[in-house]
Amino acid sequence: MPIAPDPTPWAFPHHSTWDPDDDLVALGADLEAGTLITAYSLGLFPMPVTLDREELGWFSPVERGVLPLDGIRVSRSLRRSARAFEIRVDTAFDEVMAQCGSPERPDGWITPEFVRGYTRLHHLGWAHSVEAWRDGRLAGGLYGVSIGGLFAGESMFHRDRDASKVALLGLVDLLRDEHADQRVLDVQWQTPHLASLGVVRRPRGEYLEAVGRALRLPLPAAFRVDD
């Protein structure tokens, strides 16, 4: 099992107090491992926000982006492209995070503090990378947080065409086991690009109920930490 982090000293507001029309739920706290695990278990994820100044925001979208494991859309061309890649797990987490957080990316939000926080989570066995390799080099990938039956996808990148999509296909395959119908693959928001792959919107309340059930499930085999 992953190593349990120290408990967070922060208390997040109860979901009954969240604004039903606002994705932003809270401000402040930190990116320590215990805080992150608590937040994800409550249906929250962090991103920096700029109000009067830059602060750490905690979000729970009113309409959550979720990819049903039996609903992913794979075009014929993508299926052909996938044959050229090899899927690996956690062999290049630092590089995946570095690429996702590259300052050259437009609208980038992954700060050095996020890199340090999720790298600590990775060392404790909670954060994972799914990588698409081609001809012995990292061509694309994604990273996220795995707690029981919840995989909270954070970001993805590609160097080669289709590599990030292939990494997502690889993740779906890793989550498809005897508990697949109860697992939750969270992608935060539905974008047009993600919608083309089968991502749907789930009302916040429905998402929170699904996460509550998913947290009781065992981890997928690919993300279990060896003793």
Side-chain angles (χ1 to χ4, degrees):
M1 294 294 293
I3 299 170
D6 293 334
T8 181
W10 305 99
F12 289 99
H14 191 269
H15 63 81
S16 63
T17 68
W18 298 354
D19 187 331
D21 299 315
D22 195 345
D23 292 350
L24 179 62
V25 168
L27 295 169
D30 57 39
L31 293 172
E32 294 299 322
T35 305
L36 288 168
I37 294 303
T38 298
Y40 282 103
S41 298
L42 295 173
L44 300 167
F45 61 85
M47 291 186 75
V49 296
T50 301
L51 301 173
D52 294 332
R53 57 188 172 85
E54 186 171 283
E55 299 185 65
L56 183 60
W58 298 91
F59 290 83
S60 180
V62 175
E63 295 288 335
R64 192 71 166 238
V66 175
L67 178 57
L69 298 183
D70 60 356
I72 188 167
R73 298 173 188 163
V74 186
S75 66
R76 192 173 304 171
S77 62
L78 179 57
R79 198 173 296 280
R80 284 197 303 268
S81 182
R83 299 177 191 141
F85 296 93
E86 174 192 359
I87 296 297
R88 302 181 190 176
V89 175
D90 288 343
T91 68
F93 183 89
D94 291 349
E95 188 174 357
V96 170
M97 272 227 73
Q99 290 299 317
C100 289
S102 172
E104 298 177 1
R105 296 186 69 172
D107 301 319
W109 55 269
I110 300 174
T111 65
E113 290 75 21
F114 273 75
V115 173
R116 287 192 290 270
Y118 284 84
T119 299
R120 285 193 296 267
L121 269 192
H122 173 63
H123 290 158
L124 292 173
W126 298 94
H128 302 278
S129 59
V130 179
E131 308 140 12
W133 290 74
R134 188 174 192 175
D135 298 328
R137 65 182 183 86
L138 181 64
L142 60 85
Y143 78 94
V145 177
S146 183
I147 309 174
L150 166 67
F151 189 93
E154 279 294 310
S155 186
M156 59 175 60
F157 84 99
H158 70 275
R159 289 170 173 154
D160 293 5
R161 181 179 177 180
D162 289 338
S164 59
K165 295 178 183 178
V166 171
L168 182 60
L169 296 181
L171 172 60
V172 170
D173 286 341
L174 295 172
L175 299 179
R176 281 178 172 156
D177 59 12
E178 66 272 27
H179 303 289
D181 61 333
Q182 298 181 74
R183 296 196 182 279
V184 175
L185 176 47
D186 166 35
V187 298
Q188 301 178 348
W189 285 283
Q190 183 202 60
T191 65
H193 169 66
L194 291 173
S196 71
L197 295 171
V199 168
V200 298
R201 296 177 180 177
R202 292 284 183 258
R204 177 190 279 165
E206 182 180 318
Y207 172 82
L208 295 178
E209 290 178 3
V211 167
R213 294 189 295 268
L215 294 176
R216 297 191 289 267
L217 299 176
L219 285 168
F223 301 137
R224 294 172 192 164
V225 180
D226 294 332
D227 295 331

